[in-house]
Amino acid sequence: MSEQDFNIEEGSVTFWIESNKLNYSDGKSTILLNNSNKDGSIFIVKDKDNSLKFFHVYYGFGRTNVEIDVSRLNSNEKHFIGATWNIKEKKIVLYLDDKNSAESLIKY
């Protein structure tokens, strides 16, 4: 994703984590996505508390995040990750394997 096609006000991103590429319960932080431009940034991380976190940062306005516990995910399986954000609808959503999702309200 390049700066010119990255819209901080609305968008989505999806990707797969191949099997045996990430230990979901190792207590370590791993950056999975980090993208920014002049308006803000989005990033997805498997954090040291063994949760998957999506952060939406709108420079000058604030930050919103959402998370899903991944400590019980099987590292031997492929996993789908997706995230959406929409300033007008005031929400961000994090998706995991089409069966788990979590959302947070944007307060800016």
Side-chain angles (χ1 to χ4, degrees), residues 16-56:
W16 288 92
I17 302 292
E18 294 295 326
S19 60
N20 301 311
K21 295 291 183 185
L22 187 61
N23 181 336
Y24 297 96
S25 61
D26 62 1
K28 296 179 182 178
S29 294
T30 304
I31 297 170
L32 304 174
L33 173 85
N34 186 1
N35 200 358
S36 61
N37 64 23
K38 64 180 179 52
D39 297 320
S41 65
I42 57 169
F43 53 102
I44 297 174
V45 61
K46 196 287 290 174
D47 215 347
K48 60 186 173 185
D49 64 357
N50 299 320
S51 62
L52 184 67
K53 296 178 181 178
F54 169 52
F55 295 89
H56 178 271

Side-chain angles (χ1 to χ4, degrees), residues 44-83:
I44 297 174
V45 61
K46 196 287 290 174
D47 215 347
K48 60 186 173 185
D49 64 357
N50 299 320
S51 62
L52 184 67
K53 296 178 181 178
F54 169 52
F55 295 89
H56 178 271
V57 181
Y58 198 175
Y59 300 149
F61 294 94
R63 180 186 90 180
T64 303
N65 64 287
V66 63
E67 63 184 72
I68 297 173
D69 179 9
V70 294
S71 61
R72 295 187 176 154
L73 277 186
N74 185 342
S75 295
N76 297 322
E77 295 177 359
K78 185 174 171 179
H79 295 284
F80 173 81
I81 297 171

Side-chain angles (χ1 to χ4, degrees), residues 8 12 15 41 44 54 65 67 78 88-89 97 103:
I8 195 63
S12 64
F15 56 93
S41 65
I44 297 174
F54 169 52
N65 64 287
E67 63 184 72
K78 185 174 171 179
K88 288 180 185 174
E89 292 180 9
D97 292 337
E103 70 178 62

